[in-house]
Amino acid sequence: ELKDDMQRHGLPLGTPVYSSLMEACRKLGRCEQALALLEEMRANGVVANAMVYDPLIRALRSAGEVAQATDVYRIACAEGVYTPRGEGDEHTDPRIVNLHGLRPDVACIAVSEVLEELRRAHYGGRATSNPEQRDRRRPATSSSDDLVIITGRGKGSKYLTPGGEPVIKVAIVEMLSLPEYAALEATEAEGNP
């Protein structure tokens, strides 16, 4: 209704308005309506940012629509909204995934996308969910073969667990403990608080 009233009065619907509408859709569990808003934004030439994509991705993941959430994440990456691998940064290192500033839902998708990309590269361009093939992966021969996932300490974050841990770190550790990632060895860097 609010959106319709604004349009009737000739008020512009910019990114902040759409961001608020996306958050409302997330809270109400209205994924289809949120997706329609994203399409409407595009049709009207309004640029989406993380404040638009975050609630949409969260809503889709909460509804169990992980594949669709991943598709939306890919679109946002293609638009330059999320750059966890440092794309466009002069200090880009493909072995580093920086999750600073991402919401936990988005961070989990970012890590799973990087791991899938590495899996495809290892298996000649094809992904595999076959555990026997995954377990025969080439062992890391040096620390330069490691993937570094930077979650941050949560010092500047309002997203902490009740115990004071950064929620992104907790979400990633929990994700990496899932069966599909069992063949991976995950360790916390020494001296990392």
Side-chain angles (χ1 to χ4, degrees), residues 48-153:
N49 61 18
M51 298 302 291
V52 169
Y53 282 113
D54 285 357
L56 176 55
I57 289 170
R58 289 173 64 202
L60 290 166
R61 284 196 77 207
S62 293
E65 300 291 341
V66 177
Q68 199 166 20
T70 301
D71 289 343
V72 169
Y73 169 81
R74 289 176 185 147
I75 291 166
C77 285
E79 293 174 0
V81 174
Y82 302 121
T83 57
R85 305 276 304 264
E87 297 85 353
D89 183 351
E90 65 185 71
H91 303 291
T92 300
D93 185 335
R95 297 164 298 159
I96 297 176
V97 180
N98 187 341
L99 303 177
H100 280 104
L102 298 182
R103 298 287 303 236
D105 294 297
V106 176
C108 287
I109 290 175
V111 171
S112 70
E113 281 292 283
V114 170
L115 292 173
E116 186 59 28
E117 178 185 310
L118 293 171
R119 183 181 294 160
R120 268 196 229 79
H122 180 76
Y123 292 105
R126 65 187 195 296
T128 181
S129 58
N130 181 333
E132 290 176 16
Q133 287 181 326
R134 277 200 319 256
D135 293 343
R136 284 185 271 154
R137 72 193 197 319
R138 174 180 54 85
T141 55
S142 72
S143 62
S144 67
D145 290 335
D146 291 346
L147 176 66
V148 176
I149 300 171
I150 301 171
T151 62
R153 298 180 198 164

